[in-house]
Amino acid sequence: MLSRPMVESLNNQIQLESYSSNLYLQMSAWAEIKGLEGCATFLRAQAQDEMTHMHRLFKYVYETGALPVIGTIKAPPTKYKSVSEVFKQVYEHEKFITGKINELMNLAIAEQDHSTVNFLQWYVAEQHEEEHTMQKILDKIKNIGETGSGVFFIDRAIGALGGEK
Ligand code: FEO
């Protein structure tokens, strides 16, 4: 049995994970249009991962007898200036999500809700991995550089990551 604040916070996270999925899917469309197939494939895989994160939360909430609520998902941006801008935004977004997971964890700990603390551990580890992956991608972009054929090699390097976490 979850407390009301816990249910509200988990539902908020359901909404955020749905937004994350839409954000990365929309970014993949930008990459496709720019002919950046490697980036598009990677971002689509990220979008699917985010949907999985949403479903885990959704299931956890209904399994406790509470009602999962998806709510209104805001529209993600559609325009980007460069590959580095896209991945900087992904990195910033993931840091924001990590903060939200930490808030959820703080609440679960404060309420001595051991089941939710245990459930959230997976997200803590996942956020660590995602931030690390995005940091690696930003390093690659910086090292290769976006001038001349750099974007081609960046796209190839990101495509090679596939759905890597
Ligand atoms: Fe589900 Fe990338 O946070």
Side-chain angles (χ1 to χ4, degrees), residues 13 17 20 24 46 49-50 53-54 93-94 97-98 101 123 126-127 130 165:
Q13 195 64 30
E17 299 290 347
S20 303
Y24 299 157
Q46 289 300 119
D49 284 349
E50 297 302 343
H53 300 175
M54 189 281 265
H93 184 68
E94 287 303 329
I97 295 293
T98 299
I101 295 293
Y123 286 84
E126 182 74 2
Q127 283 311 119
E130 291 200 336
K165 299 294 299 169

